[in-house]
Amino acid sequence: MSEKRILILGTGGIAHRHAEHFGAIPGCRLVAAVDTNRQRAQQFATEHAIANAFGSLAEAIAWGEFDAAVNSTPDGVHKATTLQLIEAGKPVFCEKPLAVDHPDAMVMTQAAEEAGLVNMVNLTYRNAHAIQMARRMVDEGRIGTIRHVDANYLQSWLTGKHWGDWRTEERWLWRLSAAHGSKGVLGDIGIHILDFATFGSGLDIAALQARMKTFSKAEGDRIGDYALDVNDSVAMTVEMENGALGVIHMSRYATGNLNDLHLTLYGEKGALRIWANQLDSTLHVCLGADIETATWKPVECPVTPRNEHRFAMALMSGENGQPSFRRAAEIQKLLDLCFVSDREGRMLNVE
């Protein structure tokens, strides 16, 4: 099995984690770093013992000595850069979101599929052991037909300084401003909880209604160049494809929660309760005789491969891994519909 040479495009914060993970996978070798700031690309390459650094994607593609790319660029350039890589015949592992809207995401999906290239999106909470175990139990029929879904993703960096002070640090301020590319808490973490809920349940969302709130956080709702105008909290009601109802919500004002995802699946024969953060996850179940006493018990969850490993396995096998571009595009459609639903004040069917 031949070694797979990996190029990393964009050398910001998340790129360092990808370099660490791909660099540790047997059969993968990091061969190039690319950034519009050549000096930053060179620093990144030096730090991760990567032999080549480029100041443009075009330059790297002209060189061509790589087998696949990790796209860690800002959201707004995912489409243009990924399409260049696909045109060059390179499989792509793209950061989330795949694109800024569903039409762009579908253009990228169709291009990758028509080219027959491995394509994946880094929906990081697929790395949680508990969500993978829960899905297996759902598929095995352990909880029967799902009748209700309860999901949330809760952060509190607007009420605490555990990740820094959002009032003074640009890495947080931009996430509060539409003009700086933010789509609020929905755009930032909504993609994760929607994927978590639908993947975990094995059910697509058939209809949704969303309400969004932007709270006043500073005088004039502005700090310097940053207009603080995007959604801080979102609450959704959903109907799943099998008729089950559900609630999905997310907030940056969830005091006491650093970075917590919760999903409870209520079925006719049992229930599953999943918790996850960026480091760990747990699964509890209520099954059999425990239903009568509403007793929940922990379940041991086997370790699941990280998305980076899934991508590496896909490159080596030639069979596309999950989550794919198409999967990310489906989630992007839901995100786009949330904005329409909030604006129009009504439930929308997912066509």
Side-chain angles (χ1 to χ4, degrees):
M1 191 176 295
S2 62
E3 181 181 65
K4 299 303 179 182
R5 302 165 299 172
I6 307 295
L7 173 145
I8 294 186
L9 173 63
T11 58
I14 193 64
H16 290 276
R17 306 291 79 77
H18 290 319
E20 292 166 3
H21 289 297
F22 278 107
I25 298 174
C28 287
R29 179 165 58 95
L30 302 176
V31 297
V34 185
D35 199 289
T36 52
N37 182 327
R38 183 184 293 272
Q39 182 179 3
R40 187 164 61 189
Q42 185 58 63
Q43 290 171 343
F44 182 91
T46 300
E47 180 177 348
H48 295 285
I50 298 171
N52 302 280
F54 299 97
S56 74
L57 179 56
E59 185 182 357
I61 288 174
W63 168 67
E65 299 297 315
F66 63 101
D67 300 305
V70 176
N71 191 341
S72 300
T73 58
D75 301 354
V77 294
H78 283 178
K79 179 186 177 185
T81 51
T82 295
L83 290 178
Q84 289 177 65
L85 288 162
I86 291 171
E87 188 174 352
K90 307 297 185 182
V92 180
F93 181 80
C94 190
E95 259 307 316
K96 67 85 187 172
L98 180 59
V100 296
D101 58 34
H102 180 249
D104 280 359
M106 283 307 301
V107 169
M108 298 162 71
T109 299
Q110 290 163 359
E113 291 178 351
E114 289 171 6
L117 294 170
V118 168
N119 58 89
M120 285 181 59
V121 176
N122 187 33
L123 298 179
T124 50
Y125 295 99
R126 292 289 186 95
N127 298 334
H129 313 320
I131 195 68
Q132 298 290 342
M133 185 64 180
R135 175 59 184 269
R136 286 196 289 274
M137 293 180 72
V138 168
D139 288 346
E140 291 167 0
R142 299 283 297 281
I143 66 170
T145 301
I146 293 172
R147 293 304 187 202
H148 195 77
V149 176
D150 183 2
N152 59 70
Y153 190 160
L154 305 176
Q155 296 179 335
S156 58
W157 56 265
L158 285 175
T159 64
K161 296 181 181 178
H162 37 269
W163 292 343
D165 189 346
W166 64 267
R167 299 167 184 81
T168 58
E169 297 183 27
E170 291 185 359
R171 63 184 178 135
W172 301 115
L173 281 168
W174 82 263
R175 295 175 186 272
L176 304 174
S177 176
H180 289 79
S182 177
K183 290 191 173 182
V185 70
L186 181 70
D188 195 15
I189 64 176
I191 186 170
H192 289 305
I193 195 60
L194 285 168
D195 181 65
F196 210 67
T198 52
F199 173 73
S201 66
L203 296 170
D204 289 332
I205 292 173
L208 63 82
Q209 182 162 5
R211 287 290 307 277
M212 304 180 191
K213 281 289 185 179
T214 305
F215 298 101
S216 182
K217 294 176 286 294
E219 186 175 351
D221 295 319
R222 175 178 290 275
I223 294 178
D225 294 334
Y226 298 89
L228 311 182
D229 57 358
V230 296
N231 56 87
D232 300 309
S233 291
V234 178
M236 301 168 57
T237 54
V238 299
E239 181 172 342
M240 312 305 283
E241 62 181 328
N242 74 338
L245 296 182
V247 290
I248 301 175
H249 61 100
M250 63 216 75
S251 181
R252 293 167 171 166
Y253 272 107
T255 303
N257 293 269
L258 292 182
N259 189 59
D260 298 282
L261 290 83
H262 304 89
L263 172 63
T264 307
L265 303 172
Y266 298 99
E268 292 183 336
K269 292 166 50 181
L272 305 175
R273 181 179 291 159
I274 305 107
W275 165 86
N277 66 12
Q278 69 273 34
L279 302 174
D280 201 4
S281 63
T282 60
L283 172 63
H284 288 77
V285 304
C286 181
L287 297 170
D290 288 336
I291 293 174
E292 304 305 328
T293 56
T295 300
W296 293 79
K297 293 178 179 176
V299 172
E300 190 73 23
C301 299
V303 173
T304 189
R306 290 183 57 87
N307 288 335
E308 291 92 345
H309 288 78
R310 293 177 190 275
F311 184 67
M313 289 187 286
L315 291 177
M316 294 169 190
S317 69
E319 296 183 13
N320 205 62
Q322 286 290 338
S324 65
F325 278 19
R326 183 166 290 276
R327 170 63 178 176
E330 291 169 353
I331 300 296
Q332 191 62 52
K333 176 190 282 188
L334 300 176
L335 295 172
D336 291 359
L337 280 176
C338 285
F339 286 99
V340 178
S341 173
D342 180 67
R343 186 169 61 247
E344 297 183 358
R346 63 188 181 96
M347 179 162 276
L348 300 173
N349 291 326
V350 180
E351 302 295 340

